[in-house]
Amino acid sequence: MKSDKKNDHYKKTEKPGFSYPCFSSNAQSIAKECLNAEIFSRLNNLKTQSGFTLYDALKSGIINPDSYVGIYAGDAESYKTFESIFNPVIESYHSINIRELEKHVESATQHHNNKDHVKFFPKHKLELPDPDPEKKYIISTRIRLARNLDGFPFTTSINLKDRLEIEKIVVTALKKMPFQFQGRYKSFYNESIPTGFTKGDRFQEAAGINRDWPVARGVFESDNGKFAIWINEEDHLRIISMAKNTNLSRVFTHLQTALESLEKNLVFAWDPLLGYLTSCPSNLGTGMRVGVHIKLPKLYKKKDCLNDAAKKFNLQIRGTHGEKTEVESAIFDISNSQRLGISEHECCHTLHKGICSIIEMEENINI
């Protein structure tokens, strides 16, 4: 499964005159805030085995001054080679202290006497009451996991040969899924691209993620419409469990069953400290985004109140169709923000508690 050889097809981005300060004065990213001349000098001449450089990591944030995170990893090695910049970015985004996280991981490892105890998706049941029993607000529930295969460069740095190999490996694993996940893989290169599965945005374009599009891209969709895997988008896999209802526990259980099968046939890139390794450091840890599409006509007119509630429960509010889109018909996409330093169950509990509070606000607020 692994492809540890040097990434011969991907050539590192040459940037004549690349020097510090490299971000524009109006750049807003966390990476810009964390980078200084000393870190830049120490890292600028380094590269990973796949040829990934500091400029490659920062390129998207440099080209797009409105980037929020402003840095991507090119492979698992990036988080070690460039840890002087990645660690402060990770601490800032996830509101976590790396040293404290190390202590937590060490304690957990000693308790379980096995570093591998968090390498697999949790098996124990999630039980949460329905946050919207009258079905007045929540339109749909969705859980998305970001995963990369162990031993391959990430989509920011991968060559075409390895990208095709990943597609082949994942499609083979999908054929072994249980009956409730029966469906079909649609290659974007050979078939029309389904609605909602578009080429990456300008941030991903600048990071190199869109290279060779649409070759080796595609989506597997189950016949019942409750499960999908997007192959070779921002990460090798985006694993999605969804339902047009308010039952978060059931959506989570469906995902558990899927991961139990996938983990028998796929090995994911993982680190004892950082969890599942992803192209964007915002997805490190569980790699899980638990979210709902929810209609909030009153809070749509009181967005400051909604934003305050989201901040209190560490939630992210996005537009109707995801990040950097507008809110249409007062329908928000609300999800957990923190993924690192907490468990998959805690991600779900955080969202559930926050959504319950937001629904209560929607019902009681005066406009």
Side-chain angles (χ1 to χ4, degrees):
M1 180 183 295
K2 290 190 178 184
S3 179
D4 293 319
K5 60 188 180 300
K6 192 170 181 178
N7 196 347
D8 296 324
H9 291 268
Y10 172 74
K11 303 300 182 184
K12 81 180 184 69
T13 307
E14 298 293 344
K15 177 64 176 177
F18 180 50
S19 60
Y20 183 85
C22 52
F23 289 97
S24 64
S25 60
N26 64 331
Q28 307 166 10
S29 69
I30 298 173
K32 178 191 175 182
E33 295 301 316
C34 294
L35 186 67
N36 58 40
E38 189 275 328
I39 293 175
F40 182 93
S41 177
R42 189 190 323 152
L43 302 182
N44 191 33
N45 293 321
L46 302 180
K47 64 180 179 179
T48 67
Q49 185 66 19
S50 70
F52 199 73
T53 66
L54 178 65
Y55 177 68
D56 293 321
L58 299 175
K59 183 181 177 184
S60 183
I62 293 170
I63 292 176
N64 298 289
D66 57 335
S67 174
Y68 179 61
V69 179
I71 189 169
Y72 281 94
D75 44 34
E77 187 185 345
S78 296
Y79 286 107
K80 296 295 183 185
T81 302
F82 305 112
E83 67 179 356
S84 297
I85 181 63
F86 271 111
N87 281 0
V89 169
I90 291 166
E91 289 184 324
S92 177
Y93 181 86
H94 293 278
S95 301
I96 200 166
N97 183 286
I98 292 290
R99 290 188 177 181
E100 291 300 317
L101 183 61
E102 288 173 342
K103 293 177 183 177
H104 172 75
V105 170
E106 182 180 353
S107 175
T109 300
Q110 291 175 349
H111 176 72
H112 290 268
N113 196 30
N114 177 11
K115 281 189 177 182
D116 290 344
H117 77 278
V118 290
K119 264 193 171 185
F120 300 100
F121 200 73
K123 304 294 191 295
H124 50 291
K125 191 174 182 180
L126 177 72
E127 295 187 62
L128 291 170
D130 192 329
D132 182 21
E134 296 181 14
K135 320 301 180 192
K136 291 170 61 178
Y137 304 104
I138 295 177
I139 298 168
S140 63
T141 305
R142 167 175 158 150
I143 303 177
R144 182 228 67 191
L145 295 180
R147 293 288 188 269
N148 286 292
L149 297 190
D150 188 38
F152 287 89
F154 297 163
T155 59
T156 50
S157 181
I158 198 169
N159 63 43
L160 180 56
K161 181 180 178 181
D162 281 347
R163 201 190 293 272
L164 287 163
E165 180 66 14
I166 286 170
E167 182 184 38
K168 179 181 177 181
I169 290 170
V170 176
V171 170
T172 299
L174 288 169
K175 292 176 181 178
K176 302 175 183 178
M177 296 281 284
F179 72 92
Q180 64 265 48
F181 298 97
Q182 287 182 357
R184 191 170 76 88
Y185 177 67
K186 300 174 184 177
S187 166
F188 294 172
Y189 183 69
N190 296 318
E191 302 183 48
S192 59
I193 300 173
T195 302
F197 295 93
T198 58
K199 186 177 181 179
D201 59 22
R202 57 187 168 90
F203 302 94
Q204 295 176 346
E205 179 72 34
I209 292 168
N210 293 343
R211 196 170 43 250
D212 303 316
W213 174 271
V215 179
R217 272 73 163 200
V219 62
F220 171 87
E221 294 180 293
S222 65
D223 294 335
N224 61 16
K226 296 180 180 180
F227 181 77
I229 295 184
W230 194 349
I231 298 178
N232 283 325
E233 197 238 1
E234 185 173 270
D235 293 291
H236 297 158
L237 293 88
R238 287 295 171 95
I239 305 167
I240 305 163
S241 179
M242 53 199 161
K244 292 187 180 298
N245 60 46
T246 60
N247 196 324
L248 177 57
S249 296
R250 186 175 298 171
V251 174
F252 185 84
T253 300
H254 197 60
L255 187 63
Q256 282 180 310
T257 306
L259 264 292
E260 187 175 357
S261 172
L262 289 172
E263 288 172 342
K264 292 176 181 177
N265 300 289
L266 302 174
V267 179
F268 298 124
W270 180 86
D271 179 83
L273 180 64
L274 300 178
Y276 291 102
L277 300 178
T278 53
S279 295
C280 181
S282 65
N283 287 314
L284 290 169
T286 61
M288 174 186 279
R289 190 170 76 84
V290 188
V292 296
H293 272 96
I294 183 169
K295 189 162 188 173
L296 303 167
K298 291 183 182 178
L299 287 171
Y300 177 72
K301 300 176 182 178
K302 293 272 191 177
K303 290 181 182 176
D304 287 345
C305 295
L306 180 58
N307 289 333
D308 288 343
K311 185 176 181 180
K312 177 181 177 181
F313 292 100
N314 208 5
L315 302 180
Q316 180 183 21
I317 298 177
R318 309 197 303 176
T320 304
H321 302 290
E323 194 169 8
K324 299 188 184 299
T325 64
E326 297 298 318
V327 176
E328 301 173 4
S329 303
I331 298 173
F332 296 85
D333 180 346
I334 302 180
S335 60
N336 63 305
S337 178
Q338 186 180 358
R339 300 171 180 89
L340 179 62
I342 61 175
S343 69
E344 288 85 353
H345 280 70
E346 287 172 321
C347 288
C348 293
H349 279 277
T350 296
L351 178 79
H352 183 271
K353 188 174 181 179
I355 291 299
C356 287
S357 177
I358 287 170
I359 288 175
E360 184 178 0
M361 285 178 59
E362 173 71 17
E363 291 182 334
N364 297 321
I365 197 167
N366 293 317
I367 58 173

